[in-house]
Amino acid sequence: MRFSVFSKRSSTLALALALGMGGVLSVTALEAPAAAQKKKKDDDKAAKPQYSKGFVAAYNPVQQLDKDGDVEAVKAALPGVIAAVENDDDRNVAGSLVYATGSKLSDTALRRQGLDMMLQSGKVPAESQPGYYLQAGQLAYQDEDWSAARTYFERAMELGYTENDLTPSIAETYFQEERFADGVTYLSQAIEAKRQAGQPVDEAWIRRGLAMAYNNQLDAQAREYSSMYVRDYPSATSWGDAIGILYNTSEIGGEDSLDLLRLARRVDGLRQSNQYLEYIDQADPRKLPGEVVAVIDEGYASGNLDRSNTFVSEARAEAAKRVKTDETELPELAKDARAANANLVTVMAAGNAFLSYGRAADAEEFFAKAATMPGANTPLVLTRMGIAQLDQGKYAEAEATFNRVEGARQAIANLWAIYTTQQAGS
């Protein structure tokens, strides 16, 4: 019998996959260019604005309207002021007027236009530029002009804006454009930069990257993020999600499924009856009866297995009988496996049996022997040897063994290695 441990994109994942990393950041109001100019020395002739005559003629009457509080009249006159711009000083002060008018009228388009004009003029003081670009990005974000918002945010960071981290907002611009791969990659690079700098990574960043990768079928990235999640923020939730995501994004069955479910059992990640049923099926009451009995009893105790399920009750009954047989046959199996002429099937049977009964030292011995034998499934053997070493508290050896696993099993071994590191530090 073969059970489906998870349906694809399973709703059993505990991760809040729709969560974002927070909205666009708020900042203080921008300093108007006129105020910024006052900071410059009065005797600095080079810094003194040089307005064109035509612009002054167009601007002054509108400025008076602004002083009189006739905002609608100012708005109506703005095209004429803008058309009169001849140089960057004109553009800067015109942009300031456009921005101020937009602020009074809550007109995002005017505010954006004003900011653009001021920034294009090159007259915004260097120390003020990051804030200008930041607010321009905020306004573009509100307008859902994602590309422009991203450009502004990136420029603000380039110019040294550090009050808040704009990485989440930049990542969101990609996601809003449905450029999911680009957004996930950008976030991964930002996370790696944090690590390289020795800085902690916000859990929300990892959760968002994981959510966007998983929900948009970026399977390799989803597995990377799930590993990152359990490594940085281990919990029953993150572990359960990491294991579920590996199931849902990979072709896992048979012996691979068994070893992943073994890890799920250790991290309290078995969440539903189908997982227990799959575990029972793969462990097989005829092959690993002791482990089957233990798993079934845990499933009963947790309420995840229905005692009226005949498959489960019959499996437990058969397994319990075979446990008694194993008690008398295990010594002979060990003797046969240690013989110089032992074949691979016998050695693996011994390793699997002793591992399932918690006799880790014996299991390690047999798996180590199997690893040297022709025809051995090396990734599987190394995985189980690592588990046996872990069970003995030989953490460094276990981690090294898991890290030797290659091929399709590497993702499973990677999760075991992370778990080993955490056990070593606990």
Side-chain angles (χ1 to χ4, degrees), residues 161-372:
Y161 178 79
T162 57
E163 184 176 342
N164 293 291
D165 197 326
L166 296 177
T167 298
S169 296
I170 294 172
E172 285 302 314
T173 65
Y174 285 112
F175 298 145
Q176 294 298 329
E177 289 180 311
E178 298 187 357
R179 293 173 57 184
F180 303 113
D182 290 335
V184 168
T185 298
Y186 170 81
L187 198 52
S188 296
Q189 292 170 344
I191 288 172
E192 182 58 26
K194 284 274 191 181
R195 294 194 195 287
Q196 292 296 325
Q199 299 172 354
V201 178
D202 193 321
E203 180 180 2
W205 291 22
I206 299 175
R207 288 169 64 89
R208 186 56 168 168
L210 175 55
M212 299 312 294
Y214 180 74
N215 284 342
N216 294 287
Q217 290 74 52
L218 302 172
D219 292 345
Q221 293 93 326
R223 291 191 291 270
E224 291 173 3
Y225 269 92
S226 64
S227 295
M228 192 187 307
Y229 192 23
V230 294
R231 183 180 63 229
D232 289 6
Y233 296 96
S235 68
T237 296
S238 61
W239 270 111
D241 287 338
I243 290 168
I245 285 169
L246 183 52
Y247 262 113
N248 289 350
T249 62
S250 307
E251 295 297 327
I252 291 181
E255 301 279 10
D256 293 347
S257 178
L258 175 59
D259 287 340
L260 192 53
L261 287 166
R262 282 170 164 163
L263 178 58
R265 181 185 175 197
R266 291 172 185 243
V267 298
D268 194 25
L270 295 176
R271 295 175 174 169
Q272 55 183 186
S273 61
N274 275 358
Q275 293 171 289
Y276 283 93
L277 297 175
E278 170 78 357
Y279 201 140
I280 295 165
D281 188 40
Q282 295 302 335
D284 194 334
R286 299 163 298 177
K287 296 179 180 178
L288 304 175
E291 193 167 353
V292 168
V293 170
V295 169
I296 290 175
D297 289 348
E298 290 170 13
Y300 284 156
S302 67
N304 285 312
L305 280 180
D306 187 347
R307 291 180 181 273
S308 66
N309 186 313
T310 56
F311 168 77
V312 177
S313 59
E314 290 174 1
R316 193 192 186 288
E318 181 177 359
K321 292 179 183 178
R322 290 183 177 271
V323 168
K324 295 181 179 179
T325 302
D326 279 355
E327 291 175 353
T328 60
E329 295 183 352
L330 279 179
E332 188 65 27
L333 176 60
K335 180 181 178 181
D336 291 344
R338 290 188 174 107
N341 63 346
N343 60 39
L344 178 60
V345 172
T346 300
V347 176
M348 283 299 296
N352 288 328
F354 282 99
L355 182 65
S356 72
Y357 280 112
R359 294 176 59 175
D362 292 316
E364 180 187 5
E365 173 192 347
F366 295 125
F367 288 131
K369 181 175 181 178
T372 67

Side-chain angles (χ1 to χ4, degrees), residues 4-12 214 244 247-248 272 274:
S4 175
V5 181
F6 289 98
S7 59
K8 286 292 182 181
R9 311 296 152 185
S10 173
S11 60
T12 62
Y214 180 74
Y247 262 113
N248 289 350
Q272 55 183 186
N274 275 358

